[in-house]
């Protein structure tokens, strides 16, 4: 007697996902592999869904990156108490941004690669620009001053993070260390004199010293 056929299973809908789950998974992907590893297809796989389902929550990768920026800013950026003197307000606000971003260098990669920003961070930009104006710069010059401070801040973080990744991946002497070990003192006397201390000296955290010198220079030129 023929057996009744087993009903064919039809694929159901992908499991429902939340925007919070999408952000959390996207953050894990970029923290583990960098921003280039974050694609909508990979993200969909990681959350057990489909790329089409993701588009119900985020328009595209750019919007996803903005959400990541806002999420990070909301979790880490804390408005510091501001001193009365405008010059010191500039230094304190920029230092707070540096401290938050240095703990998560991939954020700087996003900020410097695209015209993206977190609205949560605009308060810090306001304090820097306003402080420079209060110190005597025109608004245009203050915006230029903020740009110089941002370039210095982002560049310092990127250089340190890149060097740290290289040292973690390869413990051999760097090319620079090899070159500095064989300098010609007759041509490069100062570098030869500092060669054996160059690596530890350049590894020191001198961000705030450089920031204060930069701010002083901006204000002297007003």
């Amino acid at each position: 007697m023929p057996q009744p056929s087993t009903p064919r299973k039809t694929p159901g809908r992908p499991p429902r996902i939340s925007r919070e789950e999408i952000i959390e998974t996207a953050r894990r992907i970029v923290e583990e592999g960098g921003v280039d590893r974050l694609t909508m297809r990979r993200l969909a796989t990681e959350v057990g869904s489909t790329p089409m389902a993701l588009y119900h929550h985020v328009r595209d990768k750019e919007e996803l990156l903005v959400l990541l920026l806002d999420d990070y800013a909301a979790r880490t950026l804390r408005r510091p108490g501001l001193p009365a003197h405008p010059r010191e307000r500039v230094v304190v606000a920029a230092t707070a941004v540096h401290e938050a971003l240095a703990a998560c260098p991939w954020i700087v990669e996003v900020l410097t690669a695209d015209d993206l920003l977190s609205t949560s961070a605009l308060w810090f930009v306001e304090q820097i620009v306003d402080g420079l104006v209060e110190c005597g710069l025109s608004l245009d010059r203050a915006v230029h001053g903020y740009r110089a401070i941002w370039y210095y801040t982002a560049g310092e973080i990127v250089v340190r993070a890149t060097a740290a990744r290289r040292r973690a991946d390869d413990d051999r002497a760097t090319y620079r260390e090899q070159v500095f070990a064989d300098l010609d003192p007759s041509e490069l006397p100062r570098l030869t004199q500092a060669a054996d201390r160059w690596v530890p000296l350049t590894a020191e955290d001198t961000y705030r010293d450089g920031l204060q010198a930069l701010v002083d220079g901006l204000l002297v030129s007003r």
Side-chain angles (χ1 to χ4, degrees):
M1 187 173 180
Q3 299 292 321
S5 60
T6 303
R8 295 177 59 187
K9 293 183 178 180
T10 57
R13 293 183 176 180
R16 297 188 65 179
I17 51 177
S18 65
R19 176 172 285 199
E20 291 72 20
E21 183 182 2
I22 290 172
I23 294 174
E24 181 180 349
T25 304
R27 182 171 67 243
R28 177 173 54 78
I29 291 173
V30 296
E31 286 176 349
E32 292 176 354
V35 177
D36 291 341
R37 297 295 182 91
L38 178 62
T39 65
M40 300 299 278
R41 183 175 298 277
R42 176 174 178 180
L43 180 58
T45 300
E46 293 279 343
V47 298
S49 186
T50 65
M52 188 59 65
L54 292 182
Y55 293 122
H56 292 294
H57 298 275
V58 291
R59 182 178 63 253
D60 49 27
K61 182 177 176 178
E62 179 173 293
E63 183 180 13
L64 179 59
L65 290 174
V66 171
L67 290 174
L68 286 176
L69 292 176
D70 283 336
D71 172 68
Y72 184 77
R75 289 185 295 108
T76 62
L77 273 180
R78 298 291 177 266
R79 297 183 180 185
L82 295 176
H85 195 285
R87 177 194 175 280
E88 293 309 309
R89 291 207 305 270
V90 172
V91 172
V92 168
T95 300
V97 171
H98 177 267
E99 289 176 353
L101 296 183
C104 193
W106 69 262
I107 292 287
V108 179
E109 182 182 347
V110 173
L111 292 172
T112 56
D114 297 289
D115 186 23
L116 302 178
L117 55 82
S118 167
T119 55
S120 301
L122 291 180
W123 180 87
F124 296 84
V125 179
E126 169 72 17
Q127 305 315 311
I128 294 171
V129 172
D130 180 66
L132 293 174
V133 170
E134 289 294 316
C135 285
L137 297 187
S138 68
L139 181 57
D140 288 1
R141 293 286 297 277
V143 172
H144 293 163
Y146 161 74
R147 181 184 61 185
I149 291 170
W150 166 241
Y151 284 2
Y152 167 62
T153 300
E156 198 268 353
I157 292 172
V158 169
V159 170
R160 283 184 175 276
T162 302
R165 282 198 302 268
R166 178 172 180 179
R167 286 193 296 270
D169 295 337
D170 190 349
D171 59 0
R172 294 176 299 175
T174 64
Y175 178 69
R176 183 184 63 185
E177 290 169 340
Q178 297 173 33
V179 170
F180 269 53
D182 194 30
L183 293 177
D184 182 354
S186 64
E187 181 179 2
L188 304 168
R190 295 300 185 194
L191 294 185
T192 301
Q193 188 178 18
D196 61 341
R197 306 192 308 283
W198 190 270
V199 171
L201 285 173
T202 55
E204 291 180 5
D205 182 2
T206 58
Y207 169 79
R208 194 177 179 98
D209 291 340
L211 173 63
Q212 291 177 331
L214 175 57
V215 172
D216 287 344
L218 291 170
L219 298 181
V220 166
S221 64
R222 69 182 185 274

